[in-house]
Amino acid sequence: MDTQIAVLGAGAWGTAIAKVIADKGKNVIIWSYETSVRDDINQKNENTRYLPNIKLPETLKATSNIEEAAEGKQFLIYAVPSLFLLDTLKKSISVQSIREGKTVIAVITKGFLPTDNGPRLILETMEDYLPGFFRQSLVYISGPSHAEEVSCGKITGLIAASENPKNSIRFRDLLKNPRLMVYSSLDVRGVQVSAAAKNVIAIAFGMLDALKTSGKADMFGDGTESLLLAAGLNEIQLLGKALGATHPETFTSISGIGDLDVTCRSVLGRNRRFGKEIIERNILEKYKDIDDLLARIDEIGYLPEGVAAAKYIMILAEKYKLKMPVSVGLCKLLNREIEPKKFCKNLITVLDM
């Protein structure tokens, strides 16, 4: 099989993106850390663990050999969660086609990455490990999307952001179809910040929603949720500017308000679900602080990326002296410094815009 396209990461989003490409008749190989997921894809044409009830095309195959997946590819997409991205990158960069700069690389992971100099954006951190060919040439893909909907052909929009316009267009053309609209952007930093920070706001939104729908807090309504969204967008813009976002319209487009809205309001959102379960199941009770939560995050059964993002945003807010009460307050909540219901009840004063 002449496979020129690889996706590293067989979670829900990685599988959905691989399916989008394979549905266009292209051969795609997806790397799965878990051999059970690999076998499911190869033997049943399904990913029953992460994307159940979705039939995958015959042109999509899986491997658990990361060198086999990455070697000789024209297009390579990193799709593993942020907690595992650097480890995956280090395992894959030894292949010849990457060492020689023959591969065009994109990332669909959301979040920040820890470094010796504090948390940094994903692409700039990856550039430190990749050969110099890739500097200012990586592509970051994000937008208001859920794997479950994209894999079913629901109309969705994405942004392919890169400082190299040609590479942005390459991935735009690779992914787009009549139901998946893909737009190009030069604002790599703004798109990355929007993708990471919106998950933090979504956890707070889920908590608020749980209190609203339970009837235990009649002070919260639809307007309160919109107030939280507006305050959250303000914080995302503030952080984006501090980290070098170049286009203000990034935050008012699909990668900004669009992604924030769907992450907060959709029942498919993992971060929103986690926020609801903080209230409904007291899910934080067994963790002593945010580091303990991150170390045992697999116990939850799904991965709310906003937990790690909250920790890193608090560090960045302190570094750049930014007023981000929702994000910083949520980090303190996850660190068990304040109680969930107290945080929600204080939202009236927290949401001071």
Side-chain angles (χ1 to χ4, degrees):
M1 182 174 68
D2 182 20
T3 306
Q4 295 296 316
I5 303 151
V7 176
L8 302 186
W13 190 219
T15 304
I17 286 293
K19 180 181 183 294
V20 165
I21 301 169
D23 279 340
K24 298 173 74 172
K26 299 181 182 296
N27 293 324
V28 181
I29 189 165
I30 189 168
W31 173 74
S32 171
Y33 176 80
E34 297 150 306
T35 57
S36 59
V37 174
R38 175 202 66 193
D39 293 342
D40 252 7
I41 293 172
N42 288 336
Q43 297 169 13
K44 303 176 183 177
N45 297 115
E46 292 182 15
N47 185 340
T48 54
R49 176 166 185 176
Y50 295 111
L51 197 63
N53 305 316
I54 298 295
K55 200 67 176 177
L56 302 175
E58 295 284 346
T59 51
L60 173 57
K61 300 298 181 185
T63 180
S64 289
N65 184 320
I66 197 166
E67 290 84 5
E68 177 189 354
E71 182 59 83
K73 301 303 181 291
Q74 180 182 1
F75 295 99
L76 183 62
I77 301 173
Y78 285 85
V80 295
S82 61
L83 293 172
F84 314 113
L85 181 57
L86 280 183
D87 184 57
T88 302
L89 177 67
K90 292 173 185 177
K91 290 178 179 177
S92 61
I93 57 178
S94 61
V95 304
Q96 185 175 350
S97 53
I98 292 180
R99 292 202 315 267
E100 296 178 353
K102 295 179 178 178
T103 302
V104 187
I105 293 176
V107 184
I108 59 175
T109 301
K110 295 176 172 66
F112 300 93
L113 297 180
T115 73
D116 292 340
N117 296 317
R120 296 175 66 196
L121 294 171
I122 286 175
L123 295 197
E124 66 178 4
T125 309
M126 291 178 66
E127 286 179 348
D128 289 344
Y129 292 88
L130 288 162
F133 309 109
F134 294 97
R135 193 161 297 277
Q136 298 182 323
S137 290
L138 302 178
V139 181
Y140 190 79
I141 299 169
S142 184
S145 53
H146 286 300
E148 296 86 349
E149 293 187 345
V150 171
S151 60
C152 290
K154 305 289 186 183
I155 294 174
T156 306
L158 296 175
I159 294 285
S162 179
E163 293 177 76
N164 183 322
K166 289 183 179 178
N167 286 349
S168 171
I169 292 170
R170 288 185 178 115
F171 272 101
R172 182 193 69 188
D173 292 344
L174 180 68
L175 292 171
K176 70 178 182 179
N177 64 43
R179 296 190 179 185
L180 182 60
M181 297 171 285
V182 185
Y183 306 92
S184 295
S185 171
L186 296 172
D187 190 4
V188 178
R189 290 176 172 269
V191 174
Q192 287 180 89
V193 171
S194 297
K198 53 93 178 182
N199 286 329
V200 179
I201 305 303
I203 295 176
F205 190 96
M207 295 168 59
L208 189 66
D209 189 59
L211 287 171
K212 185 189 81 168
T213 55
S214 69
K216 296 178 180 178
D218 58 6
M219 63 193 297
F220 300 138
D222 294 344
T224 322
E225 291 180 339
S226 293
L227 183 62
L228 174 59
L229 280 180
L233 183 60
N234 280 349
E235 293 193 6
I236 293 170
Q237 289 177 302
L238 191 66
L239 182 60
K241 291 176 183 177
L243 294 183
T246 56
H247 293 62
E249 60 268 24
T250 294
F251 305 104
T252 55
S253 75
I254 61 173
S255 62
I257 185 60
D259 204 1
L260 175 63
D261 180 70
V262 76
T263 305
C264 288
R265 296 192 185 278
S266 174
V267 295
L268 298 173
R270 293 188 299 271
N271 293 282
R272 177 183 186 270
R273 174 184 173 185
F274 183 67
K276 287 176 71 70
E277 291 185 346
I278 289 175
I279 299 297
E280 296 171 349
R281 294 177 50 203
N282 199 16
I283 201 169
L284 295 180
E285 185 177 23
K286 61 180 180 178
Y287 303 102
K288 65 179 182 179
D289 55 29
I290 193 169
D291 290 324
D292 185 36
L293 173 58
L294 286 168
R296 299 160 55 197
I297 199 79
D298 58 318
E299 296 176 4
I300 296 174
Y302 57 94
L303 183 58
E305 288 269 19
V307 175
K311 176 182 177 179
Y312 297 139
I313 285 176
M314 183 168 180
I315 295 171
L316 292 168
E318 291 174 353
K319 177 180 179 179
Y320 292 102
K321 297 179 172 54
L322 305 176
K323 184 181 179 182
M324 301 182 66
V326 178
S327 302
V328 171
L330 184 75
C331 181
K332 291 180 178 179
L333 181 150
L334 296 174
N335 204 38
R336 303 298 304 277
E337 296 176 41
I338 56 176
E339 291 299 315
K341 291 184 179 179
K342 182 178 180 181
F343 169 75
C344 289
K345 289 181 179 178
N346 287 343
L347 275 176
I348 298 300
T349 54
V350 167
L351 302 183
D352 180 10
M353 295 181 288

